Each structure stands twice: as C-alpha cells, then as structure tokens.
Amino acid sequence: MDYIISISFIFSILMFIRLGNGQITLGETLMGCNYTSNFTINSTYAKNRDLLLSSLPSNVSQNTSVANFFYSTSVGQGSDKVYGKAICLADYTPQECFDSLNDSIENLRTYCPNQKEGVSVSYFGIQYSNRPVNGVVLLEPTRAGINPNDLNSENEVEFYEIWGNLMEKVGEKAAMEEVVKYATGEVNSTSNQTIYVRMQCFPDLDQRSCRYCLTQAVNYYEGCCHGKVGGFVRKPSCWFRWDLYPFYNFTGFALPPSSSIPIRKVKEKGGIAPKTVGIIVGAVVSFLFLLVTLLSWILYLGKKTSNFQHNKDFLEDTESLQFDIEILRIATNNFSIDNKLGQGGFGTVYKGQLPSGESIAVKRWSKNSSQGEVEFENEVLLLAKLQHRNLVRLLGYGFKRTERLLVYEFVPNKSLDFYIFDSQRRLELDWNKRYKIIEGITREILYLHQDSQLQIIHRDLKPSNILLDQQMNPKISDFGTAKLFAVDQSQISTRRIVGTHGYMPPKYAIYGQISTKSDVFSFGVLVLEIIIGQKAWRNWNEGTP
C-alpha cells in the first residue's frame, strides 16, 4: 500500500514546472515549486514552513549515527501542518552538510516565496510539503549535466553495454541498503578505462521505489547525454553521477572487520588437526566449485540455444520490417536531443526523417528499461498484424546487438495527457473534439477485443498512450505489455503485474486476473479524465471530488 501511495504522489508532484534549460555544471542546484498551491505571507503556514526549514541543517548534519545525514519532521497542526525532510550526500562532512543545506534553504525561501510545496536538489536533497513526504518518491523536476569531453572508445556499443550493467548493479545495491540507500561501483571498460558511479536515494524510500527512481534517472541520462565521459542526473528523490576517475570519498558501509569476529580455536589433542581440516575443506570447496561451474555452463548453453532459436524465429517472421540501424541514426541526427519527442520507462522517442522525406517516430529502447526483449518482440509481432485507423502504425524496427529501435508513423499532436492535464492546452479540446477522441478510442478497443483476427488486451490504456494526429484523431500506442488471448478464452491469470496504478482494475492489480474487462476499467478512468481534466488516481487518494 505504501508503494501505491508513493506512485500516486508522483502524479501530483509533476506540476513542479519551473525548470532551467540546457547543460549545467556539477555544482549547480536544482529547485522546483508547486505553483498551484500557495499560502499567504505571514500566515500560520508560512511561519511553520520557516520553522521547519530552519531546523533542518543542524538536525541533518548532527544525525550521523544511524541515518547518516538524514532527518524528517513536521511542524504545526491541521491545514497549517508542514512536512519536511532533508539529506546530504553520504561522503559529506558534518560541516559541509550544514553549510550546503543552510545556503540552499535560504535560496529555496526566495525561489518559492509562498508555495506550499518545494524541493531543492544538489549533492543533498530538501523537500517540504503540506502533505506527508516520508516514503514518497518524486521524479520531477529533473536536471542533467555532463563532463563536456567526448567519449573516446574504440567500441562505443560494447562500452555502453558495460556501462549499463554497472548502472543496474549499483542501483540495485543502493536500493537494497537498509539504512543508507547509497552505493558506489566501478568496472573496467573495453578501452582500458575505469567507469566509476555513485548513486543515492532518500533512505525513507522502500527498495522498489528507490530502484524505480534510479532507473528513471539513468534512462533520462541515456536520452540526453550519451557520448560524453561523465555526467549526472538529479531528481528530488534520488541522484547519480558517473565519470572515468574516482570522484567520491566514501564507498559505502562495510561489515565489521574480521578481527572483531570471535574465532573458535581447535583443540590440539582429541580431534582433527587444523592441517587435516584445511585439506578436507579445500577438497570439498574445490569439488563444489567444479560442480557449480559445470552446472552453470550447462544452463548457459541451454539458455543460449533457446534465445538463439527465439530470436531467429522472430527475425524470420518480421524480416520485411527490418530497418538498417545506420539509416535510423541518420534520420534522427544520431538521436539528437533536439529531435527528442518524449521519454518513458522504456527509453526515448525521437523524431526522424527517412531519405524519402517521410517523417517518423523512433522509439529507442533503453538498456536499463523495465521493458525488455520480450516486450520489444511482442510489440513488433502484434502491431505487424493489426491495422486500424485508431491504432498507431508500426513501420518497422532496427535490431543490432544491444540496440533496439521501433519505427512508427509520426503523429504530430503529441499525446492526450499533454492537453487534458494542462489548464491552458485543454481549452483547445472543445466537447466535440473530446467526444470524437472518446469515440475513436472506443472503436479501437472494440477492434482489439472483438473485430481483429487476434483478441488482444492492451493492459496499459492511459492518456500518455493515446496519440493525436493532425486532425486530433486518437491512436492507441505502446503494445509492449499487451496480452494475446485465445479466441475462446475469457480470463487468464499472470504473476507479472504490468501497467499503471490508477488505470488497472483492483482484480488485476491484486490477483493478476486479466480479461477484456481490464481494458474496459482503464477506459472508464480514461473517459473520466478526458471529461474533468484531472488525474482520477490523485483525487481518489486525496479524497477530493
């Protein structure tokens, strides 16, 4: 339940919109305010906020025993109650922590003079709000920065494969830390360079929330900043930095030294001699090592053969849809940030133009994506067999080593959430247009469930997956998590729950039971949001109409 509440709060905090543009140096601080929720200067809430913020530097910098530079508190009662927390980087000194927080809090007061929610992030994090903040993961606002030097690697693809694996392992390590969600790591790359990385989350996050935040941060970096020899991404709840030199002073928390662990001595008489014990233990360990190695090799060969066959069948079935990777690189100007259309958990979407002049949208799968090979192939195989005017059209795909690309028709008017959740842009959608959009989505769901040769449950219907063409006709997209049903099948169960909280029915979210009713539930929430222009899941959690 805590995780569900955390996810719902992500949505409500996306209104932090006052962001800077362009690259920044490693020393700059990111700040954001919620401009939809204000208080009156000299009010009780204003005094409580100032009291809370003033208490953070000394309490955080002195709290080094267990929580290590982390402190959370609240001030006030009722509607005037202010919640807050702050953290410093684990390798800060107490004085550095105090000075950094103190300076940033003064700037935060100036930057958010009368806003009820605000964040400040650098090598520390500060959050305050009129709602509870403990255990809540915030993904926005986001800042990224780079080392301006270009990467000099003989094999860039292999370098980033090693880089991606390191990011994943260190992120997992940080998330699993029980006290301080902090981790560092290093690995040698193919060009005799050592990659160093440091990651940290607010320690009040659970494992899943921390892991999710760091994954989103890494995905963000991949979408904006590849090709440089270092950089960082900062989000309100987590941050990471990497480079080709050891930039951190603290490597994490270790177990007590072996000298502090009591050792039981072996009697010299009446037992097995220490030398004999050593020989026996050595023999047993050697045998077990050989056995594990042999079994691992057998499993590896089996898995390799299975994957090869799987990929071979996939490539044969979709051969006519394959694009040359280099053509797609040229079409998107080498995946330039200027061509970026959007980003999600899977990776980044870029606008491109083929040599024929046709505009396209290219979805570039992230190596750290929560969606993997199965989802990629699933989307290609399904969309290749589906044709409908309210379904985004798949033109093909590119596939080479770790690079996976999906090529779609270019839909110029972005996604539905771009309009309905913005107070100004939703004015462009009169009731006739909204009815037209609802009708188009209805036709597509009917096609997927009944009229196509395949019966398909989408499983992730939501505004961001509804694209709008030039005439504002809706087109359903993102079929990576879609489920194929047999014609005579009414319901199936799955242990893998995918989709977005707030749009998935409780029966599926709790028990994993999928049917056409799953999409109908999501469609109901979608229609409600189109009509009211608000996020239903947020209102439900806040108990507001």
Side-chain angles (χ1 to χ4, degrees):
M1 182 60 69
D2 289 342
Y3 180 70
I4 295 175
I5 292 173
S6 298
I7 291 297
S8 71
F9 195 71
I10 295 174
F11 302 147
S12 67
I13 214 69
L14 289 178
M15 55 187 74
F16 282 107
I17 57 174
R18 192 171 176 180
L19 303 177
N21 295 320
Q23 303 297 346
I24 59 175
T25 64
L26 291 172
E28 288 193 42
T29 300
L30 165 65
M31 293 190 182
C33 313
N34 181 351
Y35 289 96
T36 66
S37 180
N38 299 330
F39 60 82
T40 305
I41 302 297
N42 296 325
S43 64
T44 302
Y45 189 93
K47 295 175 182 177
N48 289 341
R49 187 196 71 158
D50 287 343
L51 283 173
L52 182 140
L53 291 177
S54 298
S55 72
L56 293 178
S58 58
N59 281 297
V60 175
S61 59
Q62 293 171 13
N63 195 14
T64 59
S65 56
V66 178
N68 202 70
F69 298 140
F70 171 71
Y71 180 74
S72 64
T73 188
S74 62
V75 176
Q77 300 292 330
S79 61
D80 293 319
K81 190 171 185 177
V82 186
Y83 302 84
K85 61 183 181 180
I87 186 175
C88 284
L89 193 68
D91 56 1
Y92 262 28
T93 65
Q95 190 61 48
E96 288 173 331
C97 179
F98 179 87
D99 292 341
S100 297
L101 290 178
N102 199 47
D103 291 342
S104 184
I105 284 170
E106 290 304 314
N107 293 331
L108 188 58
R109 283 195 181 104
T110 303
Y111 195 85
C112 305
N114 66 327
Q115 280 71 48
K116 287 189 175 182
E117 294 178 305
V119 297
S120 178
V121 187
S122 183
Y123 293 128
F124 50 81
I126 303 168
Q127 297 177 18
Y128 76 86
S129 175
N130 59 335
R131 293 174 283 189
V133 294
N134 278 349
V136 173
V137 57
L138 304 184
L139 297 181
E140 296 297 336
T142 301
R143 269 275 172 84
I146 57 171
N147 183 325
N149 297 316
D150 292 328
L151 178 67
N152 183 17
S153 177
E154 297 177 358
N155 191 333
E156 186 173 336
V157 173
E158 194 170 350
F159 176 91
Y160 277 114
E161 185 173 2
I162 295 171
W163 184 91
N165 288 335
L166 178 64
M167 298 298 136
E168 185 175 349
K169 290 178 181 178
V170 176
E172 185 70 21
K173 182 181 176 184
M176 292 181 68
E177 288 287 349
E178 294 185 2
V179 178
V180 181
K181 293 200 174 333
Y182 172 99
T184 61
E186 58 187 71
V187 68
N188 292 326
S189 71
T190 54
S191 52
N192 294 322
Q193 297 170 313
T194 302
I195 305 172
Y196 298 87
V197 63
R198 174 181 63 197
M199 294 185 174
Q200 186 169 4
C201 295
F202 265 94
D204 57 309
L205 300 185
D206 59 27
Q207 289 184 16
R208 195 173 180 184
S209 298
C210 176
R211 187 187 303 112
Y212 180 77
C213 184
L214 290 171
T215 298
Q216 294 301 308
V218 171
N219 288 346
Y220 188 96
Y221 182 87
E222 287 192 310
C224 74
C225 308
H226 263 193
K228 302 299 180 180
V229 298
F232 70 90
V233 170
R234 296 180 191 139
K235 288 180 174 290
S237 291
C238 67
W239 44 90
F240 88 94
R241 178 187 169 188
W242 79 278
D243 220 305
L244 298 180
Y245 69 92
F247 55 87
Y248 42 81
N249 301 319
F250 181 68
T251 57
F253 296 88
L255 294 172
S258 57
S259 59
S260 65
I261 302 174
I263 301 173
R264 181 179 297 175
K265 295 183 179 180
V266 180
K267 294 181 180 180
E268 295 182 2
K269 295 180 181 180
I272 303 175
K275 183 177 181 180
T276 306
V277 172
I279 293 172
I280 294 173
V281 171
V284 171
V285 169
S286 298
F287 172 75
L288 290 176
F289 176 78
L290 290 172
L291 182 62
V292 171
T293 302
L294 179 61
L295 290 173
S296 299
W297 180 247
I298 293 171
L299 290 172
Y300 169 76
L301 288 177
K303 182 179 179 181
K304 186 176 181 182
T305 303
S306 174
N307 286 342
F308 175 78
Q309 186 63 41
H310 178 64
N311 290 330
K312 181 181 177 182
D313 292 342
F314 167 75
L315 293 172
E316 288 178 353
D317 291 344
T318 59
E319 185 176 2
S320 62
L321 296 175
Q322 290 184 54
F323 274 80
D324 184 273
I325 290 286
E326 291 308 312
I327 289 178
L328 298 179
R329 284 188 179 276
I330 295 171
T332 59
N333 192 21
N334 198 25
F335 306 106
S336 167
I337 191 171
D338 295 332
N339 287 9
K340 181 178 174 181
L341 295 174
Q343 186 161 338
F346 57 81
T348 309
V349 179
Y350 300 88
K351 183 180 180 181
Q353 188 173 48
L354 296 175
S356 63
E358 181 180 5
S359 294
I360 57 173
V362 181
K363 180 194 288 188
R364 189 184 195 189
W365 235 256
S366 167
K367 299 180 184 67
N368 294 301
S369 170
S370 58
Q371 300 181 26
E373 201 72 35
V374 174
E375 288 84 355
F376 175 81
E377 295 184 6
N378 189 54
E379 185 152 357
V380 173
L381 292 170
L382 285 181
L383 287 180
K385 299 175 182 178
L386 298 174
Q387 296 293 331
H388 194 275
R389 65 177 182 175
N390 295 117
L391 175 68
V392 67
R393 184 162 55 96
L394 179 75
L395 304 179
Y397 71 95
F399 186 93
K400 185 178 181 182
R401 293 186 180 178
T402 60
E403 188 76 275
R404 299 191 301 278
L405 307 170
L406 291 175
V407 186
Y408 302 95
E409 63 173 320
F410 176 66
V411 183
N413 281 325
K414 300 188 177 182
S415 55
L416 184 58
D417 63 325
F418 179 75
Y419 294 91
I420 62 175
F421 297 138
D422 185 275
S423 59
Q424 296 301 316
R425 287 192 288 264
R426 66 167 165 255
L427 298 178
E428 300 177 32
L429 300 179
D430 58 28
W431 291 114
N432 287 330
K433 287 181 180 177
R434 296 190 197 200
Y435 179 84
K436 180 181 178 182
I437 290 169
I438 293 171
E439 184 181 32
I441 298 170
T442 308
R443 292 181 185 278
E444 180 52 34
I445 294 174
L446 184 64
Y447 171 74
L448 294 174
H449 289 182
Q450 295 184 16
D451 297 340
S452 68
Q453 294 179 346
L454 309 170
Q455 186 180 25
I456 295 169
I457 312 299
H458 187 280
R459 289 206 289 179
D460 200 18
L461 289 172
K462 57 184 179 180
S464 60
N465 283 339
I466 308 297
L467 305 182
L468 299 172
D469 68 11
Q470 198 161 3
Q471 287 75 42
M472 301 298 281
N473 295 308
K475 291 179 178 287
I476 297 178
S477 67
D478 199 344
F479 281 75
T481 60
K483 197 75 175 176
L484 180 63
F485 269 49
V487 177
D488 58 349
Q489 209 169 11
S490 61
Q491 178 175 292
I492 61 174
S493 295
T494 178
R495 286 182 294 179
R496 187 184 179 212
I497 309 300
V498 296
T500 305
H501 286 294
Y503 300 96
M504 60 175 70
K507 194 173 183 180
Y508 171 53
I510 298 172
Y511 302 109
Q513 294 179 357
I514 312 169
S515 69
T516 55
K517 296 177 183 178
S518 304
D519 281 351
V520 174
F521 181 96
S522 304
F523 174 68
V525 178
L526 187 56
V527 170
L528 184 63
E529 293 184 335
I530 291 173
I531 294 171
I532 67 174
Q534 298 178 32
K535 295 180 184 290
W537 183 237
R538 185 182 71 189
N539 286 2
W540 170 264
N541 278 282
E542 293 179 352
T544 55

